[in-house]
Amino acid sequence: ATLSLVGFFIWNHLISIYPVNQIVPFALLIPVFTLIASYLILGETTHRLALVGGLLAMGGVWLQARESTSST
């Protein structure tokens, strides 16, 4: 619960500094980091399709971040 509270405050702080369209796409990375953490910490196996989905999500966030920095 404490980490959720810290994450909530960090998220709100970032939203107050940066435009929403630059911050929100990073929420798509939450499942990717959860997948990585479950593999590293819990030793869970990962399906190839989940890895492909994670790579697609990271690529989409990278493309969006690249577009929003080039337009400002």
Side-chain angles (χ1 to χ4, degrees):
T2 304
L3 290 178
S4 295
L5 188 62
V6 170
F8 177 76
F9 282 118
I10 291 172
W11 183 261
N12 282 331
H13 178 68
L14 289 173
I15 294 271
S16 70
I17 295 173
Y18 298 104
V20 173
N21 64 341
Q22 289 181 354
I23 300 298
V24 170
F26 288 96
L28 297 173
L29 294 178
I30 293 171
V32 176
F33 286 112
T34 303
L35 185 70
I36 293 168
S38 69
Y39 175 76
L40 294 175
I41 296 170
L42 301 175
E44 293 187 8
T45 58
T46 303
H47 194 271
R48 288 184 188 145
L49 192 57
L51 295 174
V52 171
L55 289 174
L56 286 172
M58 290 189 312
V61 170
W62 177 75
L63 282 174
Q64 193 282 331
R66 192 181 76 169
E67 287 177 9
S68 56
T69 58
S70 65
S71 66
T72 54

